[in-house]
Amino acid sequence: MTKQLLLLFFCLSISLHAQKTLKLWPNGVPNAIATKNYKEETQYDALGIVKGVNKVSVPEITIFEPAEKLKNGTSILVLPGGGYTHLAINKEGFKVAKWLNTLGITAIVLKYRMPADATMETKSIGPLQDAQEAIRYIRANANNLDIDAQKIGVLGFSAGGHLASTLSTQFDKQTYTSSYRVSARPDLSILIYPVITLKDDFTHKGSKNALLGEKPSKSLVEKFSNELQVTNNTPPTLLVHATNDKAVPVENSQQYYNALRKANVPAELLIYQAGGHGFGLGTKGTHNQWPKACEKWLRQNNFLPQKEVYLFSYFKDNGEDGLHLAYSRDGLEWKSLHKDQSLLKPIVGKDSLMRDPCIIKGPEGLFHMVWTVSWTDKGIGYASSRDLINWSQQQFIPVMEKFEGTRNTWAPEITYDAKENQFIIYWASTITGKFLETQSKMDNGYNHRMYYTTTKDFKTFSPTQLFYEPGFNVIDATLQKTGNGYVMFLKDETREPPQKNLKIAFSKNASGPYSKASKPITGDYWAEGPTAVKIKDTWYVYFDKYMDHKYGAVSSKDLENWTDISDQVTFPKGLRHGTVFTVSEDFFTTLNYQLED
């Protein structure tokens, strides 16, 4: 196969990932000298695959967009290395862009000019002009690119790291007149085995000579020695280097890191034992962990959303030993935490049980939990926690004490109503003599309806009211926010003729009123205790197939068409009703560590 065909194949493969390739300076390159004999050249590896370019005089940006469902608004300008004589455009450009896409980041690879006296009036500022204009283009076109104008970063390798650090410290230097009236300051900087200093002790002489010439002045050397240019306005920075880098000594990153610290700029320095120079995304050894470390750093600095871990609060047996937690990363495989031991033992209520524990996180950062304390009491249990380990004093909330004939108060749940800035607590109760049209002699004569109260502080509560009356015996309701309102998952508890299935109802407001219940979303088996979560674009509803003594699940993308996926889910042995809620990866890591300690 000829190099021309390989080049065509390569370009086609890139186009599958790239939205488009654009000239950076469509109206003419500043600081340029027209030279007929200076033409861009393509480099190939041993297999004839394009790996780099040199003699770049017409800079371009290639935009790589992530899948729509992954896109998170962050963008990063990628600057390949190559000693300012060529660009490792594939290894340190296109491959890096594809990796960034997997994180939901829009990546823009800059093919910047190689500094050359033949093509530039002042070659030392040529690459910086390109980098400044690229950031300005991205920021000015943030809406069109569907990105956040305040979350634009730069990532550079080797000499590209020198350019990235020059951009990060000299973004406001007047090197040309731009048509974009926006800042060229990147919001974050990631420097991989970067050239930082151009002073003789630790510089990469090839990069220095290419950028500044053979005999630059002391002032010019200092101007482009970026450890000397750091200010408190330099963006947060991650540096990655290998101790045994023979081309660009690790002192480059160390000096820049020390300057960042002195200027009180948030910074992190990762130095690996081995890896040499030019390892890109990693080859072998510990240095190949830097992309994962970078991902964590981006999340820590709020340039990527925190990963979520799903927790399931549940009880076992009759609820005597209290709160248990399970976790999942995919919503399908659930594992117990704390060796399936109780995290909180119940002490309130007539029977001191902790059945049906429901936990949500409020806007103030507290986890709030309610639970069933007894088979026959007129109230529920409540406690709060910041870490799910240390809990406030347990309270008994007598939500049904004023309703004569109340037989029970079961399966309480909490939902935070942001619109009204309050919490809604709701549960199922049977009041003797009420709703006689659905009264049955079976199931011990229970005939539930849903009731609720509201609170802002869990100290004072609104008078209890009827929450949902669907015209049948109803229990185990739970609410979830949807795009335009709320959906209620509930159990039809009708015994004659048997229903014992899950249904859904909708409302524009958390407090209702809710629509007529839907047709069943579960099968012929009897189901109860639903809890629901939306993971990406799919709803999952978990429930107890209590006649079969096991847990099941159904899923849906539209809340209309449901698929039984019970054969795809696994739960800890003996798990009983509870609630699914989410926490961040960082929170989960801390929680798991403390529970195992």
Side-chain angles (χ1 to χ4, degrees):
M1 184 181 292
T2 66
K3 287 185 176 181
Q4 288 77 13
L5 287 175
L6 283 168
L7 177 59
L8 176 61
F9 174 77
F10 178 79
C11 292
L12 287 173
S13 67
I14 289 299
S15 69
L16 294 176
H17 297 271
Q19 181 189 44
K20 54 189 172 183
T21 297
L22 303 170
K23 286 186 177 180
L24 182 63
W25 305 97
N27 298 318
V29 181
N31 186 40
I33 299 174
T35 305
K36 293 182 179 181
N37 296 329
Y38 193 93
K39 294 183 179 180
E40 185 174 310
E41 298 174 348
T42 304
Q43 299 171 326
Y44 302 88
D45 62 18
L47 298 176
I49 304 299
V50 176
K51 69 174 183 178
V53 292
N54 58 20
K55 292 188 175 181
V56 178
S57 61
V58 180
E60 295 177 339
I61 54 173
T62 303
I63 303 170
F64 292 76
E65 293 204 71
E68 192 63 34
K69 64 180 181 180
L70 295 178
K71 186 178 289 188
N72 52 48
T74 293
S75 61
I76 291 181
L77 178 68
V78 182
L79 306 178
Y84 283 127
T85 62
H86 67 281
L87 296 178
I89 198 75
N90 189 26
K91 180 175 71 172
E92 296 175 352
F94 300 141
K95 287 184 178 180
V96 175
K98 294 173 190 177
W99 162 64
L100 292 172
N101 283 171
T102 68
L103 303 180
I105 295 171
T106 299
I108 300 93
V109 178
L110 174 61
K111 186 169 72 173
Y112 56 92
R113 285 173 287 166
M114 300 297 93
D117 292 324
T119 61
M120 299 179 186
E121 295 174 359
T122 306
K123 70 176 183 178
S124 62
I125 64 170
L128 178 57
Q129 290 174 321
D130 294 346
Q132 288 177 328
E133 183 72 353
I135 289 287
R136 288 181 171 128
Y137 170 86
I138 296 167
R139 183 162 281 127
N141 287 277
N143 288 338
N144 294 332
L145 294 171
D146 192 21
I147 60 170
D148 187 336
Q150 303 305 313
K151 290 187 176 182
I152 301 171
V154 63
L155 189 163
F157 296 81
S158 192
H162 181 266
L163 179 54
S165 62
T166 306
L167 175 66
S168 297
T169 55
Q170 302 185 52
F171 51 84
D172 57 355
K173 181 179 180 179
Q174 182 68 39
T175 63
Y176 69 100
T177 300
S178 177
S179 61
Y180 300 118
R181 298 294 180 253
V182 294
S183 173
R185 179 185 182 272
D187 299 300
L188 66 91
S189 182
I190 303 168
L191 309 178
I192 314 301
Y193 41 84
V195 177
I196 294 293
T197 187
L198 297 189
K199 297 168 74 173
D200 285 341
D201 287 350
F202 300 114
T203 193
H204 178 252
K205 291 184 179 180
S207 297
K208 176 182 178 179
N209 292 345
L211 185 66
L212 304 185
E214 293 289 339
K215 296 181 180 181
S217 67
K218 180 181 178 182
S219 63
L220 189 61
V221 169
E222 291 180 349
K223 184 183 295 185
F224 285 94
S225 291
N226 293 320
E227 77 278 12
L228 304 178
Q229 307 304 323
V230 171
T231 70
N232 60 9
N233 205 24
T234 301
T237 302
L238 172 68
L239 296 124
V240 178
H241 225 115
T243 302
N244 66 343
D245 191 330
K246 303 300 183 183
V248 179
V250 69
E251 283 82 359
N252 281 263
S253 285
Q254 290 174 321
Q255 289 183 358
Y256 196 70
Y257 173 74
N258 289 334
L260 292 166
R261 284 186 61 201
K262 188 175 180 179
N264 294 315
V265 175
E268 189 162 320
L269 171 60
L270 304 177
I271 299 179
Y272 294 102
Q273 175 180 332
H277 190 76
F279 49 75
L281 289 173
T283 52
K284 60 182 180 180
T286 54
H287 69 272
N288 66 9
Q289 295 300 309
W290 83 258
K292 183 59 67 175
C294 180
E295 178 185 347
K296 291 182 178 180
W297 181 79
L298 288 167
R299 294 190 193 284
Q300 184 68 34
N301 286 276
N302 298 316
F303 287 96
L304 288 180
Q306 283 282 345
K307 280 188 174 181
E308 291 184 326
V309 178
Y310 308 99
L311 297 185
F312 196 121
S313 58
Y314 65 97
F315 74 98
K316 300 185 72 170
D317 301 319
N318 195 33
E320 303 95 336
D321 75 334
L323 172 66
H324 292 253
L325 288 178
Y327 73 96
S328 176
R329 297 182 185 279
D330 61 3
L332 299 175
E333 181 183 17
W334 294 86
K335 298 179 180 179
S336 62
L337 276 171
H338 197 38
K339 299 179 181 179
D340 208 13
Q341 300 175 43
S342 170
L343 280 77
L344 179 65
K345 296 187 181 298
I347 59 173
V348 298
K350 186 184 294 184
D351 297 324
S352 295
L353 301 178
M354 189 172 282
R355 298 174 61 88
D356 320 305
C358 171
I359 299 176
I360 70 163
K361 189 175 184 179
E364 76 290 67
L366 276 176
F367 291 98
H368 300 277
M369 178 171 67
V370 292
W371 66 90
T372 303
V373 299
S374 169
W375 290 96
T376 59
D377 222 328
K378 290 189 176 184
I380 60 176
Y382 168 77
S384 64
S385 173
R386 287 202 176 273
D387 59 10
L388 298 177
I389 297 175
N390 302 288
W391 290 85
S392 66
Q393 182 176 348
Q394 297 177 36
Q395 300 177 40
F396 177 78
I397 308 175
V399 291
M400 293 296 290
E401 67 176 350
K402 295 183 180 180
F403 290 81
E404 186 176 349
T406 297
R407 294 184 58 188
N408 64 327
T409 310
W410 287 355
E413 297 242 354
I414 313 176
T415 294
Y416 177 68
D417 182 355
K419 182 178 179 181
E420 300 295 333
N421 187 29
Q422 65 184 8
F423 295 89
I424 302 175
I425 307 174
Y426 45 100
W427 61 90
S429 287
T430 291
I431 301 177
T432 302
K434 294 276 288 183
F435 306 108
L436 296 178
E437 67 278 10
T438 59
Q439 185 67 56
S440 170
K441 293 182 180 180
M442 305 188 75
D443 286 341
N444 293 318
Y446 283 113
N447 187 25
H448 303 91
R449 294 300 187 272
M450 300 302 304
Y451 296 86
Y452 81 107
T453 183
T454 63
T455 183
K456 293 181 181 291
D457 56 11
F458 293 91
K459 295 177 182 178
T460 59
F461 302 87
S462 66
T464 294
Q465 300 179 61
L466 183 66
F467 189 37
Y468 188 52
E469 204 297 84
F472 54 76
N473 185 357
V474 60
I475 194 172
D476 292 348
T478 183
L479 303 182
Q480 288 291 324
K481 186 78 173 66
T482 62
N484 56 359
Y486 289 83
V487 56
M488 176 188 289
F489 300 90
L490 56 103
K491 180 190 179 184
D492 185 339
E493 183 74 330
T494 301
R495 184 66 178 86
E496 297 178 292
Q499 289 292 321
K500 303 291 187 176
N501 50 44
L502 303 184
K503 299 177 177 180
I504 59 177
F506 296 91
S507 175
K508 293 182 178 179
N509 302 305
S511 58
Y514 282 83
S515 66
K516 180 181 177 181
S518 71
K519 64 182 181 181
I521 66 173
T522 51
D524 294 335
Y525 45 81
W526 287 9
E528 68 180 14
T531 184
V533 64
K534 190 176 185 181
I535 302 176
K536 296 181 180 178
D537 61 348
T538 302
W539 287 94
Y540 294 88
V541 181
Y542 311 97
F543 52 88
D544 190 350
K545 291 185 175 182
Y546 61 100
M547 298 298 287
D548 297 334
H549 304 289
K550 62 182 180 181
Y551 248 72
V554 292
S555 68
S556 174
K557 292 185 181 296
D558 57 9
L559 294 174
E560 294 182 9
N561 302 288
W562 294 88
T563 301
D564 193 302
I565 58 168
S566 299
D567 60 344
Q568 300 177 37
V569 296
T570 57
F571 288 95
K573 185 177 180 180
L575 175 144
R576 302 288 306 279
H577 312 176
T579 302
V580 173
F581 59 105
T582 61
V583 296
S584 71
E585 178 77 34
D586 288 346
F587 178 89
F588 175 76
T589 299
T590 301
L591 172 66
N592 196 31
Y593 174 79
Q594 290 177 325
L595 290 176
E596 290 182 353
D597 189 19

